[in-house]
Amino acid sequence: MPSLPMPITDVFVALADPRQTNKVQHSLAETLTVAVCGILVGADTFEEIQAWAQEKLPWLRRYLELPNGIPSHDTFARL
């Protein structure tokens, strides 16, 4: 029996988050997942990743929680 594919977020869950916990508004795994998805659809810059994600927010929320919305392009750049 074939196994189900692993959600992308599961790949990133094991990564250590270098950010200061009290300053974090977005999950590392979710932020990296949004970035990877943006790149896969052709986004070349952090601004394009953010713009794509804002446009696709309802779709992204089917798979991710994103309680504080889409991270800013500066957040993507810092990560």
Side-chain angles (χ1 to χ4, degrees), residues 26-39:
H26 304 282
S27 153
L28 179 64
E30 288 193 344
T31 302
L32 293 174
T33 299
V34 170
V36 167
C37 290
I39 291 165

Side-chain angles (χ1 to χ4, degrees), residues 38 42-53 73:
D44 291 322
T45 66
F46 301 121
E47 291 84 359
E48 289 177 358
I49 293 169
Q50 179 187 4
W52 171 81
H73 61 88

Side-chain angles (χ1 to χ4, degrees), residues 4 7 9 14 17 21 23-24 32-34 39 41 43 45 47 55-56 60-62 64-66 71-72 78-79:
L4 294 175
T9 52
D17 193 339
T21 306
K23 295 183 179 181
V24 172
L32 293 174
T33 299
V34 170
I39 291 165
V41 298
T45 66
E47 291 84 359
E55 182 179 316
K56 298 298 183 182
L60 287 167
R61 282 205 165 129
R62 290 173 52 194
L64 306 172
E65 291 181 21
L66 299 168
S72 71
R78 281 191 298 271
L79 287 177

Side-chain angles (χ1 to χ4, degrees), residues 3-5 7 12-13 15 17 23 26 29-30 34 40 43 53 59 64 75-77:
S3 62
L4 294 175
F12 298 123
V13 169
L15 294 177
D17 193 339
K23 295 183 179 181
H26 304 282
E30 288 193 344
V34 170
L40 288 174
W59 178 80
L64 306 172
T75 300
F76 287 115

